[in-house]
Amino acid sequence: MEHIIIIGNGIAGVTAARHIRKLSDKQITIISAETDYFFSRTALMYVYMGHMKFEHIKPYEDGFWAKNRINLIRGYVTQVDPVKKELIVGNSRIFQYDKLIIATGSKPNKFGWPGQDLHGVQGLYSKQDLDLLEVNAPNNQVCRRAVIVGGGLIGIELAEMLSTRNIPVTFLVREKNFWDGVLPQGEAKMINEHIQEHHIDLRLETNLVEILSDDKGRARAVVTDKGETIACDLVGLTPGVTPNVGFLENSGINLGRGVLVNRFLETNQPDVYAIGDCAEQGEAIGKRRAVEAVWYTGRMMGETVAQTVCGNRIPYNPGHWFNSAKFFDIEYQTYGWVFSDRTKTEEEQHFHWRHAQEKICLTVAYERSSRRFLGINTFGIRMRHEVFDRWLNEERSADHVMEYLVDANFDPEFYHRHEKQILADYNSQMGTKIRPARKSLKRIFQHN
Ligand SMILES: Cc1cc2nc3c(=O)[nH]c(=O)nc-3n(C[C@H](O)[C@H](O)[C@H](O)COP(=O)(O)OP(=O)(O)OC[C@H]3O[C@@H](n4cnc5c(N)ncnc54)[C@H](O)[C@@H]3O)c2cc1C
């Protein structure tokens, strides 16, 4: 019987395993180093914040794997030999495979800062990081101040986590505004305000220079490029992640930033595939990034590769970009492409609306010449994925999106609706006279 080995039990690896099992009787082994069982990495923060226990973020019962004949091995793969079709776990255990799926995820970036390996300095990626955070920052007596370095999605999560335990946080962000390499300026500025309202000491355009040690090898302070020394007991390093592929150097598997794959998620070596955060697309897929470290793309790649290894070779087709996140209590969603002021082209125009009092806003991106709708970001308004997918497929105009915006709204009943104000602002900025359509369930579900 064909033996499929999957390295990594994250969302990408376990999705591949589950779908291979659905499609076939093949022998399946998952080898992974971090935990015995798959857990939801995106929910780690809720464990620290006390909303859930670690057990609650394991989507499958422990017996699920044996029941589905998926063999789990806890161990670190140190070498892969694609010619002999074998790999080594730890120092000596050799496993033979017929097909190999690499799903080893990411690792947190470290940029060689002096002091980055001191006690009390850590990232937030793994279960071990969560456990370490309980040691480094159980409360505000042990951790009197934390400094977080790197203003992305994980940095703001860590800030929220620590502030739920009343630990004062200083947040060093290299950019002019929070996450403004991704968000348009209006949104990035709104999130700056929101962070500060949560009593986070946000330092924009500020870089870490060095982390100072006490006489026991523990971090005691950071020095910034503004010449300041900030005393702290924890330094959270959250300046992004990189594919976790170091162990494959010299294996003969082509690497770029990640494991290089084609549209079928195949590497240069026969019967070796890569999926999830560690995969790098060799061929661009539209405007998508070559490495996409997000949950749902890992799941989609897992489903796709399962088809291919089971004989139905299909290309990876992620469709329109979408994503969601949370900035403290503000929900963020994005559909299609809305580039930041720093990264957008001349052709991409933005209509931005912000609520006069509350932290609610949206940005609609459209093509200057044709007004074709390109994408939308919303903060504090929940939208329907299928509706935006359809409008993007149908290449609707921004005017159409504004007219029918009510169809896309997915906020629960009794939430305040903002379409009228949004449309009034749009009409006044664009010189249009669009009247809002009435919500129609028939239209919303027409093609589903
Ligand atoms: C705190 C946090 C919050 C996040 N929030 C969101 C969110 O809200 N939305 C979103 O879309 N994404 C989010 N992400 C990103 C998302 O979690 C990742 O994109 C996703 O988990 C990647 O899945 P994966 O299966 O590719 O890899 P991983 O989940 O990283 O799993 C890979 C596994 O392989 C193991 N491994 C690595 N190398 C080896 C080896 N050589 N031998 C054996 N095992 C190995 C690793 O230890 C790891 O357990 C978040 C990430 C973090 C850290």
Side-chain angles (χ1 to χ4, degrees):
M1 193 190 297
E2 201 173 40
H3 186 198
I4 314 286
I5 295 190
I6 299 166
I7 315 176
N9 71 355
I11 181 66
V14 303
T15 304
R18 284 195 311 106
H19 284 262
I20 294 168
R21 176 52 69 241
K22 276 189 195 169
L23 295 166
S24 77
D25 226 19
K26 294 178 196 296
Q27 185 189 347
I28 304 171
T29 303
I30 303 181
I31 305 173
S32 203
E34 181 183 353
T35 49
D36 290 332
Y37 300 105
F38 168 56
F39 68 93
S40 173
R41 198 173 295 290
T42 55
L44 276 177
M45 69 183 296
Y46 300 107
V47 178
Y48 180 85
M49 297 199 303
H51 302 183
M52 289 174 166
K53 293 200 165 115
F54 184 73
E55 292 308 298
H56 300 149
I57 67 168
K58 290 195 298 183
Y60 302 97
E61 287 178 6
D62 295 352
F64 172 88
W65 307 99
K67 203 164 132 198
N68 286 283
R69 289 170 292 120
I70 297 170
N71 184 26
L72 302 182
I73 291 177
R74 176 94 181 258
Y76 187 79
V77 176
T78 48
Q79 273 180 53
V80 174
D81 184 337
V83 178
K84 292 190 187 151
K85 289 195 156 183
E86 63 182 33
L87 49 83
I88 299 179
V89 177
N91 291 329
S92 54
R93 284 178 80 188
I94 296 180
F95 288 79
Q96 305 281 341
Y97 66 81
D98 296 298
K99 289 191 172 128
L100 176 67
I101 300 172
I102 302 164
T104 49
S106 303
K107 58 177 191 224
N109 286 332
K110 280 185 172 183
F111 293 117
W113 290 292
Q116 67 180 19
D117 296 317
L118 291 168
H119 293 298
V121 182
Q122 67 164 102
L124 177 65
Y125 191 87
S126 62
K127 166 72 165 65
Q128 287 73 18
D129 291 336
L130 181 74
D131 295 342
L132 191 58
L133 195 63
E134 283 293 352
V135 175
N136 285 331
N139 54 48
N140 59 12
Q141 276 96 55
V142 173
C143 181
R144 289 157 300 175
R145 172 164 297 275
V147 174
I148 298 174
V149 182
L153 294 177
I154 298 179
I156 196 165
E157 275 193 9
L158 185 56
E160 179 177 358
M161 289 160 73
L162 294 165
S163 57
T164 60
R165 295 201 188 179
N166 297 320
I167 295 172
V169 175
T170 297
F171 195 3
L172 307 187
V173 172
R174 188 180 53 177
E175 290 78 21
K176 234 182 183 150
N177 297 292
F178 176 80
W179 216 35
D180 69 5
V182 177
L183 299 179
Q185 222 180 74
E187 300 172 352
K189 286 195 165 147
M190 187 181 88
I191 301 300
N192 290 346
E193 291 166 25
H194 199 59
I195 292 170
Q196 283 159 334
E197 279 167 17
H198 280 79
H199 310 290
I200 305 291
D201 170 27
L202 177 65
R203 309 283 181 98
L204 297 169
E205 295 184 284
T206 306
N207 288 289
L208 173 67
V209 173
E210 110 176 86
I211 304 166
L212 304 178
S213 173
D214 67 9
D215 53 8
K216 296 190 188 78
R218 266 202 84 81
R220 66 171 175 84
V222 300
V223 179
T224 73
D225 63 352
K226 299 272 159 71
E228 258 184 302
T229 300
I230 304 168
C232 60
D233 298 299
L234 170 77
V235 181
L237 296 181
T238 57
V241 295
T242 309
N244 195 358
V245 295
F247 72 106
L248 296 169
E249 273 166 28
N250 310 317
S251 66
I253 298 169
N254 282 350
L255 303 179
R257 273 210 305 133
V259 181
L260 282 166
V261 292
N262 62 16
R263 280 300 291 272
F264 296 90
L265 305 169
E266 296 159 337
T267 69
N268 63 313
Q269 296 291 342
D271 298 322
V272 181
Y273 307 82
I275 56 175
D277 280 21
C278 72
E280 175 176 350
Q281 304 293 327
E283 250 173 68
I285 304 179
K287 291 183 181 166
R288 299 183 81 105
R289 284 185 214 99
V291 176
E292 283 183 341
V294 286
W295 183 262
Y296 82 91
T297 53
R299 198 177 53 208
M300 286 168 85
M301 287 190 219
E303 288 173 18
T304 305
V305 84
Q307 292 285 340
T308 297
V309 301
C310 292
N312 176 28
R313 187 169 178 263
I314 56 170
Y316 171 56
N317 184 10
H320 296 293
W321 169 251
F322 73 92
N323 203 5
S324 63
K326 214 169 59 66
F327 301 104
F328 288 86
D329 49 340
I330 302 180
E331 284 182 25
Y332 154 71
Q333 294 182 334
T334 183
Y335 301 101
W337 294 120
V338 183
F339 286 98
S340 71
D341 297 83
R342 284 203 269 138
T343 52
K344 76 183 173 69
T345 61
E346 278 284 290
E347 253 308 277
E348 179 178 331
Q349 298 289 300
H350 288 175
F351 162 70
H352 180 69
W353 172 85
R354 181 170 168 183
H355 192 282
Q357 287 90 34
E358 294 173 60
K359 296 271 177 322
I360 299 174
C361 74
L362 64 68
T363 303
V364 172
Y366 59 92
E367 211 168 60
R368 179 204 291 267
S369 44
S370 64
R371 281 226 194 144
R372 181 166 64 92
F373 170 63
L374 300 173
I376 187 166
N377 285 352
T378 64
F379 290 75
I381 309 174
R382 255 186 232 174
M383 294 291 182
R384 279 178 206 277
H385 187 173
E386 337 52 276
V387 172
F388 281 111
D389 242 10
R390 189 186 316 141
W391 288 342
L392 287 163
N393 284 336
E394 292 170 352
E395 303 202 343
R396 294 293 186 176
S397 66
D399 292 3
H400 178 92
V401 170
M402 284 296 131
E403 184 175 349
Y404 294 98
L405 197 59
V406 68
D407 283 357
N409 189 301
F410 196 43
D411 276 331
E413 226 180 332
F414 308 124
Y415 266 55
H416 286 297
R417 296 290 156 102
H418 307 287
E419 286 88 17
K420 273 196 186 140
Q421 297 100 298
I422 295 169
L423 187 56
D425 272 19
Y426 183 82
N427 279 333
S428 109
Q429 278 186 39
M430 308 291 278
T432 47
K433 292 199 173 109
I434 300 165
R435 293 164 63 86
R438 287 172 72 98
K439 185 172 185 152
S440 152
L441 291 177
K442 196 167 158 212
R443 258 195 328 261
I444 293 171
F445 297 111
Q446 60 186 317
H447 301 298
N448 296 339

